[in-house]
Amino acid sequence: MGSREVLGQAARLASSGLLLQVLFRVITFVLNAFVLRFLSKEIVGIVNVRLTLLYSTTIFLAREAFRRACLSGGPQRDWSQTFNLLWLTVPLGVFWSSFLGWVWLRLLEVPDPNVVSHYGTGVVVFGLSAVVELLGEPFWVLAQAQMFVKLKVIAESLSIILKSVLTAFLVLWLPHWGLYIFSLAQLVYTAVLVLCYVIYFTKLLGSAESSKQQTLPISRMTDLLPSITRSRAFVNWNEAKLTWSFFKQSFLKQILTEGVYDIVNNLGSLVARLIFQPIEESFYIFFAKVLERGKDATLQKQEDVAVAAAVLESLLKLALLTGLTITIFGFAYSQLALDIYGGAMLSSGSGPILLRSYCLYVLLLAINGVTECFTFAAMSKEEVDRYNFTMLALSSSFLGLSYLLTRWCGSVGFILANCFNMGVRITQSLWFIHRYYGRSPYRPLAGLYLSPFLLGAFALSGGITSVSEVRPPCGPPTPYFCSLPVVPWLCSSWTSWASSCLLFPLPQASKTACLDRCGQTESPAGTELAPQYIAITPFI
């Protein structure tokens, strides 16, 4: 599969991930509104905070490092060794679910059984559901490596819908079950998700005429199972060492990025989760497949390096523009957003200041997601280890800075400490990208440069939105509140138009500049490069 094909598949994968995130958020919102009519808010809170945190933490610690390492292997690797390595996520998941389950039941405060019944069962079942989901990890990695976009969309959509329907049915007919309802629904969700992948590959491998079947590195389902032979090692030790390096990094990252107050975090990072996370996950796969890990850019296939540079430049521009838009409009309308979300209880206290500070954090989060997406796909194992050492040193300075800023600035200080942490990570990634392309004619970091015209558009929008909040027009309040949606709409239209003028021509301009620097002319084959970049523009 060529780099252009991989780019198109990665763009479609990111689009599907974004749509799935929107679908999940809409269904969750409607489901929570429905459930609260029949169950207490304490039960819903335990499910959405404690049990979901148990499940997500177990999944993250058990599989994140394996996914990063196994998705970046070359086409000539031994897939049986990769599958053997991936199956290690299951015992690791059993360990983490058992350990975290013990923490949840023994160290954390247990809810009152009269208010939230069956809490112990909920902890056990949510931990079990994490282990069940890990059973499908080899299938998921193979599907992602082969860019089976429709499979992911169908599997996750079907799982979410069935989970929601089952939850609504049980809440309506058996509300006295309490946490049993959510535990059963979560277990069904993970089981259906895994079964979708198993059934798909079973049918695909059973069809000899299928064109997709011809491109798979396996010929039967048993090839996906663990296998031991005397002729080779059980796992690829380079992949295993890379997995260990990524595991140390994931563990440190989890420690450094936890917290930042629930409600402000949920509101401030909503767009980050909806847009940036699918893009980061999908284009990590793209960079990992197109570039050779740990190899200098000048020693690789120049067409692939050029495509990767232009895509990185566009993604950086997208992240910067989106983050600036969130920061500018979020600063002006934080109080209004909190008032709509939680009433005067949230909007009259320190909530608006926290959310304004967090909007700056979201800008840094967007840029960091793109830079680390490329960096982790191109780094060698030794470079990942050096990065982990920096993260370890950063953790101590982060804790000290958090303590000092929290004493000086209160709650805002903790967010500012997170901004410092993210800024250091961005700086390290930018330095790696600069060195990576230093001896090549490509300059993807140009995506972080904004024209004076665009900066003026953002400044004008920020000024107008700030004035519209601080100085409402005189007269009855109704016209003022009716006009609130108009102001951000006009300003966002202005900034979007200004952004599109700069962003949409970017890939072709980058390509032309790169060809000029190389002293080359555009070949007929090179003209096919431009349409592939159009696949990225729907995100803008």
Side-chain angles (χ1 to χ4, degrees):
M1 186 182 293
S3 58
R4 300 186 182 102
E5 283 184 309
V6 176
L7 174 58
Q9 293 282 8
R12 284 189 286 273
L13 190 61
S15 301
S16 65
L18 191 150
L19 293 176
L20 285 173
Q21 286 283 353
V22 173
L23 173 66
F24 176 74
R25 299 299 166 188
V26 170
I27 290 178
T28 302
F29 177 80
V30 174
L31 186 63
N32 284 339
F34 173 78
V35 167
L36 282 172
R37 296 176 179 268
F38 298 91
L39 299 178
S40 68
K41 63 179 182 297
E42 288 80 11
I43 291 179
V44 177
I46 287 293
V47 172
N48 289 340
V49 179
R50 281 205 186 183
L51 298 183
T52 301
L53 180 62
L54 169 66
Y55 163 78
S56 60
T57 304
T58 301
I59 287 291
F60 180 83
L61 292 176
R63 77 181 182 191
E64 181 70 15
F66 290 86
R67 284 187 171 185
R68 285 191 178 276
C70 294
L71 282 173
S72 58
Q76 306 301 324
R77 64 176 167 184
D78 188 339
W79 271 96
S80 62
Q81 291 180 319
T82 300
F83 293 140
N84 289 342
L85 183 63
L86 286 170
W87 280 112
L88 295 179
T89 59
V90 177
L92 192 59
V94 172
F95 166 76
W96 282 116
S97 63
S98 302
F99 174 73
L100 294 175
W102 176 80
V103 171
W104 258 240
L105 291 173
R106 300 297 180 185
L107 300 184
L108 298 182
E109 182 182 357
V110 177
D112 185 355
N114 297 322
V115 179
V116 180
S117 58
H118 317 301
Y119 175 72
T121 303
V123 170
V124 172
V125 175
F126 268 76
L128 177 62
S129 68
V131 176
V132 170
E133 185 168 343
L134 293 172
L135 291 172
E137 202 59 20
F139 302 92
W140 186 91
V141 169
L142 180 59
Q144 294 295 100
Q146 298 297 315
M147 294 291 186
F148 291 166
V149 179
K150 291 183 179 179
L151 172 59
K152 179 182 179 181
V153 173
I154 293 174
E156 296 193 10
S157 301
L158 182 62
S159 304
I160 292 171
I161 292 172
L162 287 178
K163 174 186 176 181
S164 303
V165 170
L166 179 61
T167 302
F169 177 81
L170 293 177
V171 165
L172 190 61
W173 294 101
L174 300 168
H176 60 278
W177 276 23
L179 286 182
Y180 283 157
I181 297 173
F182 299 96
S183 301
L184 180 60
Q186 179 68 22
L187 194 58
V188 168
Y189 164 77
T190 56
V192 170
L193 185 63
V194 173
L195 281 175
C196 285
Y197 282 94
V198 173
I199 293 172
Y200 178 85
F201 279 107
T202 301
K203 289 189 175 182
L204 182 62
L205 293 173
S207 175
E209 294 80 14
S210 174
S211 59
K212 288 184 178 180
Q213 196 273 346
Q214 305 296 331
T215 63
L216 289 177
I218 59 174
S219 58
R220 56 186 185 274
M221 286 294 291
T222 54
D223 293 339
L224 283 160
L225 299 177
S227 59
I228 302 176
T229 59
R230 295 182 178 179
S231 59
R232 54 175 169 73
F234 180 70
V235 297
N236 184 325
W237 287 109
N238 289 330
E239 275 186 345
K241 292 175 182 177
L242 185 61
T243 302
W244 174 242
S245 297
F246 276 128
F247 175 79
K248 292 182 289 186
Q249 176 201 109
S250 301
F251 190 79
L252 288 171
K253 188 189 298 185
Q254 185 79 351
I255 294 174
L256 289 175
T257 55
E258 275 296 309
V260 197
Y261 300 91
D262 289 339
I263 292 178
V264 171
N265 181 57
N266 288 335
L267 280 177
S269 62
L270 180 61
V271 177
R273 292 195 302 270
L274 288 179
I275 299 177
F276 303 139
Q277 185 178 354
I279 291 177
E280 180 182 351
E281 292 176 351
S282 302
F283 282 95
Y284 171 80
I285 299 174
F286 164 73
F287 290 128
K289 291 178 72 70
V290 168
L291 301 175
E292 296 183 48
R293 182 179 294 277
K295 193 173 182 179
D296 190 89
T298 57
L299 303 178
Q300 301 186 44
K301 188 178 178 182
Q302 290 305 295
E303 182 185 9
D304 292 345
V305 174
V307 171
V311 170
L312 177 59
E313 185 176 351
S314 294
L315 291 177
L316 286 173
K317 186 71 71 178
L318 170 63
L320 181 60
L321 294 177
T322 306
L324 281 173
T325 303
I326 294 170
T327 301
I328 289 174
F329 291 103
F331 186 85
Y333 292 106
S334 292
Q335 185 171 1
L336 177 63
L338 288 172
D339 191 67
I340 294 173
Y341 186 79
M345 181 182 68
L346 293 180
S347 61
S348 60
S350 61
I353 300 177
L354 284 171
L355 189 54
R356 285 175 181 135
S357 304
Y358 200 80
C359 288
L360 173 62
Y361 179 68
V362 169
L363 168 62
L364 299 175
L365 196 68
I367 299 174
N368 180 72
V370 173
T371 55
E372 287 192 347
C373 158
F374 176 88
T375 300
F376 295 153
M379 274 183 171
S380 65
K381 176 196 172 297
E382 292 73 21
E383 289 169 326
V384 173
D385 287 335
R386 286 197 296 269
Y387 179 89
N388 292 340
F389 180 79
T390 305
M391 288 278 286
L392 184 61
L394 179 61
S395 62
S396 58
S397 61
F398 169 73
L399 293 175
L401 188 62
S402 299
Y403 175 76
L404 292 176
L405 291 178
T406 303
R407 286 179 60 90
W408 293 340
C409 309
S411 303
V412 177
F414 189 70
I415 301 179
L416 295 178
N418 274 276
C419 291
F420 168 78
N421 164 40
M422 201 61 62
V424 173
R425 287 165 57 179
I426 290 173
T427 302
Q428 188 170 1
S429 297
L430 292 178
W431 176 243
F432 174 83
I433 295 171
H434 174 73
R435 287 191 296 108
Y436 187 85
Y437 282 104
R439 292 190 292 174
S440 72
Y442 312 112
R443 297 294 178 264
L445 295 183
L448 295 176
Y449 301 148
L450 296 182
S451 66
F453 171 71
L454 189 55
L455 289 174
F458 276 116
L460 179 62
S461 299
I464 293 175
T465 52
S466 298
V467 170
S468 71
E469 182 193 37
V470 176
R471 299 190 59 175
C474 299
T478 303
Y480 168 61
F481 284 107
C482 291
S483 68
L484 281 176
V486 178
V487 176
W489 180 79
L490 290 174
C491 293
S492 62
S493 300
W494 163 255
T495 52
S496 298
W497 175 78
S499 303
S500 64
C501 291
L502 177 65
L503 186 58
F504 277 82
L506 176 63
Q508 184 63 36
S510 300
K511 178 189 169 191
T512 304
C514 290
L515 290 171
D516 290 342
R517 282 193 290 267
C518 293
Q520 300 174 1
T521 58
E522 187 173 11
S523 64
T527 58
E528 300 174 4
L529 193 61
Q532 296 296 333
Y533 294 113
I534 299 175
I536 307 176
T537 57
F539 300 125
I540 302 163

